[in-house]
Amino acid sequence: MAASPAKKQDNDARTRLSAVIKSARDIMRKDAGLNGDLDRLPLLSWLLFLRAFDALEQERKIWDTDFRPAIQPEFQWNKWAEDENLTGPALTEFINDRLLPYLSSLSSNKPGDPRNVLGQVFRGVQNRMVSGYLFRDLVNQIKKIDFTSSSDIHTMAFLYESLLKEVRDSAGDSGEFYTPRPVIKFMVQQTFPELGESILDPACGTGGFLVEAYTELTEDRKLGIVEQEELWKNLRGFEKKPLPYLLCMMNMILHGIPSPNILHTNALRHMVNESGYSSRVDVILTNPPFGGEEENSIAEAFPKGYQTRETAWLFLYEVIRKLKPNGRCAIVLPNGALFGQGIGRKIKKLLLEECNLHTIVRLPQGVFAPYTQIPANLLFFEKNHPTKEVWFYQITPPGERRGYAKTKPIRFEEFSECAAWWGGRERASRSEDSHAWRVSIADIAADDYNLDLQNPNTTDELAHRTPSELLTELVVAEEKILSILNDLQRDLESY
């Protein structure tokens, strides 16, 4: 059967744009100033950003009667990128000494002014490409992408997500801001976001949670312009690091959000300084950074008894505070956070007293490979009443496998049994089985608020474990001991 015209158009666009991106990457590989994808992807991203922004400006010029260009004519993409005579050293000088400094200086006191977005995106951006001739070749490839075409935009969004998956395996800090797409999709769906609700990711990285929430809320719906603009405004994020911030902005623009509501800021500093009901949100979806330490000025801004430099606990504390009454949250936490003592214990107690921690989904080892083999957990809670009981659900890999790896990642379909067991937004008709069990708040409190609870419905004999599995569990146990010792040390230092 022949493909439909729309399907054929999408296939043609994917083939054409895949060739464009491949050529662009081949050009960048020839340049002596670029070393690896962590150099090449940011360069490709900000060029795509300028190309896409120019298309948005051309559209805005048509319907906005008060249109004023955000960028001066000489720095607009359609001016310098179309000038084939601008190449070699002259192009390098223009980019490095004029264009990037100009874009990074843009700002406005007017809310919603696109110059604020441009200034934030390009603050700290550098061009590491040394050949102006190769840069011209790269620009000419980017010019082949039509950001006024819905087919090109849709296809570029798909291709860009593929690039983001590749960068997770690059050297450096890339693993700090990547959450597997199946995990993101499951967390978004089981939080049941609705149109009109404010949705925040305070550690948004490359924007995966916000893009998935946008997809969930717009799929099979035709929104009017007022509804669209409200949704764009309601999707909020904070990101501290410049590279994931740039990648996030490009990711959201490619997915149809022309003015992403993302702040390039230290989320903890920003949130702790916010006050009042207006700063609270309906839904939080996040995988915050763990294992890091904040500077003293941030720790000291928190209330007495909750002051710590441990990033994990500060984020969890602020997430609890940031929710509106009846607000909902889905958050990724490593095992160490579940059994943490000291200030960690206090924050878990606060969570259980102020929120209904209704579900903890326990993931097996390797879901976050290659960054760590340590198992992680998905916590779902609502800020409506204290916790009475916590349901646990253990995800198990298919077949005889005991975990996942970079080459054998978790698939979304493997959450289907948990989703069916969930019982919808009201969590109706849940029952205990080989995967699911529940623990009363009295038992949790009696166990000193330890949430690192194993499935009582299964046995796991040592005789059936491989040496690799036993070694991984030994590492987990050692990290658990180290975490407890670190908590004790921090508590002693705070006195």
Side-chain angles (χ1 to χ4, degrees):
M1 181 182 293
S4 66
K7 180 90 170 168
K8 184 177 185 305
Q9 183 181 19
D10 286 345
N11 290 338
D12 290 346
R14 181 170 299 185
T15 301
R16 175 174 54 82
L17 293 178
S18 293
V20 168
I21 296 302
K22 182 182 183 303
S23 296
R25 298 178 76 178
D26 288 343
I27 291 167
M28 289 187 286
R29 287 189 181 97
K30 299 175 185 177
D31 191 87
L34 302 178
N35 298 302
D37 282 338
L38 286 180
D39 279 346
R40 292 190 283 264
L41 185 57
L43 172 60
L44 183 61
S45 294
W46 64 256
L47 283 173
L48 288 170
F49 185 96
L50 287 178
R51 180 78 170 104
F53 185 83
D54 183 71
L56 290 172
E57 286 282 272
Q58 299 307 316
E59 291 183 359
R60 193 162 66 91
K61 186 190 298 185
I62 296 173
W63 59 262
D64 188 351
T65 55
D66 296 325
F67 174 78
R68 296 290 185 275
I71 300 176
Q72 291 180 9
E74 65 178 305
F75 298 113
Q76 293 172 10
W77 171 274
N78 58 30
K79 173 70 175 178
W80 65 266
E82 298 295 335
D83 183 1
E84 291 288 341
N85 294 320
L86 184 60
T87 188
L91 178 56
T92 301
E93 183 274 335
F94 172 78
I95 296 295
N96 295 346
D97 299 341
R98 300 180 62 201
L99 178 66
L100 293 180
Y102 166 77
L103 292 173
S104 66
S105 71
L106 292 175
S107 64
S108 170
N109 294 324
K110 181 181 177 182
D113 192 315
R115 288 177 294 178
N116 290 322
V117 173
L118 288 163
Q120 287 196 73
V121 167
F122 285 93
R123 206 156 294 140
V125 166
Q126 294 180 329
N127 169 38
R128 300 184 184 278
M129 203 166 185
V130 296
S131 170
Y133 298 104
L134 288 174
F135 199 102
R136 166 50 61 185
D137 292 341
L138 177 60
V139 168
N140 287 344
Q141 287 297 320
I142 303 300
K143 284 162 55 178
K144 296 177 182 178
I145 304 171
D146 182 7
F147 281 103
T148 62
S149 163
S150 60
S151 179
D152 272 21
I153 294 172
H154 174 79
T155 303
M156 271 307 304
F158 172 83
L159 294 175
Y160 194 76
E161 285 198 9
S162 299
L163 291 174
L164 293 180
K165 287 180 182 179
E166 287 185 39
V167 84
R168 71 181 179 177
D169 299 326
S170 298
D173 297 330
S174 58
E176 293 182 13
F177 49 86
Y178 179 80
T179 307
R181 183 67 181 271
V183 174
I184 290 174
K185 187 172 183 179
F186 175 76
M187 291 172 68
V188 170
Q189 289 190 354
Q190 301 314 125
T191 312
F192 304 97
E194 296 181 356
L195 286 173
E197 292 185 321
S198 49
I199 301 170
L200 171 70
D201 182 352
C204 64
T206 58
F209 283 106
L210 298 175
V211 165
E212 186 60 39
Y214 179 76
T215 301
E216 180 77 9
L217 290 169
T218 56
E219 202 166 36
D220 300 325
R221 285 191 179 104
K222 187 169 181 60
L223 303 183
I225 186 62
V226 174
E227 287 179 306
Q228 283 185 340
E229 289 180 347
E230 182 187 31
L231 178 54
W232 297 337
K233 184 178 178 182
N234 277 337
L235 294 171
R236 309 175 190 176
F238 307 135
E239 178 49 48
K240 178 181 178 180
K241 295 187 176 182
L243 173 57
Y245 175 77
L246 169 62
L247 301 179
C248 175
M249 295 296 284
M250 192 65 239
N251 196 16
M252 295 187 74
I253 286 174
L254 285 173
H255 281 86
I257 305 167
S259 299
N261 192 7
I262 310 296
L263 291 181
H264 186 193
T265 185
N266 183 310
L268 289 172
R269 188 182 299 280
H270 183 85
M271 289 192 293
V272 81
N273 288 333
E274 283 186 318
S275 61
Y277 185 82
S278 61
S279 68
R280 298 187 186 184
V281 295
D282 297 295
V283 177
I284 293 178
L285 299 157
T286 192
N287 178 9
F290 290 90
E293 287 194 350
E294 298 298 320
E295 56 192 79
N296 286 333
S297 62
I298 292 179
E300 291 168 358
F302 282 72
K304 295 291 184 182
Y306 297 100
Q307 292 180 351
T308 175
R309 294 178 61 190
E310 174 66 37
T311 303
W313 300 124
L314 296 179
F315 258 97
L316 186 54
Y317 179 90
E318 276 302 309
V319 164
I320 297 168
R321 192 180 72 91
K322 197 73 177 172
L323 284 175
K324 290 180 180 178
N326 297 312
R328 310 182 299 287
C329 176
I331 185 172
V332 180
L333 292 181
N335 274 10
L338 297 194
F339 57 69
Q341 293 298 300
I343 289 178
R345 175 191 176 280
K346 291 182 181 179
I347 293 178
K348 285 187 292 180
K349 184 173 183 290
L350 178 72
L351 169 64
L352 294 165
E353 289 175 346
E354 293 202 3
C355 302
N356 176 23
L357 175 60
H358 55 80
T359 311
I360 296 179
V361 176
R362 309 219 64 180
L363 302 178
Q365 67 185 49
V367 171
F368 286 83
Y371 321 122
T372 179
Q373 287 293 324
I374 305 304
N377 307 270
L378 313 179
L379 275 65
F380 297 82
F381 56 87
E382 300 169 339
K383 197 171 184 178
N384 49 9
H385 59 72
T387 303
K388 297 177 181 177
E389 63 181 12
V390 180
W391 279 94
F392 290 79
Y393 192 99
Q394 179 73 56
I395 299 291
T396 55
E400 299 298 317
R401 292 166 55 190
R402 291 191 176 275
Y404 298 93
K406 183 178 71 174
T407 56
K408 293 182 178 179
I410 192 169
R411 297 174 300 121
F412 179 67
E413 292 75 18
E414 289 165 44
F415 287 102
S416 60
E417 288 186 13
C418 182
W421 165 86
W422 200 275
R425 183 164 182 173
E426 301 303 319
R427 303 182 296 279
S429 303
R430 285 185 171 185
S431 61
E432 297 190 72
D433 56 30
S434 61
H435 294 280
W437 70 102
R438 56 183 163 181
V439 182
S440 70
I441 186 62
D443 288 342
I444 291 172
D447 195 21
D448 208 22
Y449 295 96
N450 172 35
L451 295 173
D452 183 27
L453 304 178
Q454 304 303 314
N455 187 348
N457 302 321
T458 60
T459 59
D460 199 5
E461 298 297 331
L462 290 177
H464 297 146
R465 319 294 281 282
T466 67
S468 175
E469 292 164 357
L470 293 172
L471 182 59
T472 296
E473 293 188 5
L474 179 61
V475 171
V476 172
E478 292 293 337
E479 289 196 354
K480 183 173 183 176
I481 295 169
L482 182 60
S483 175
I484 293 171
L485 291 174
N486 285 334
D487 286 340
L488 289 172
Q489 184 179 28
R490 291 190 190 97
D491 287 348
L492 289 172
E493 289 174 351
S494 66
Y495 289 125

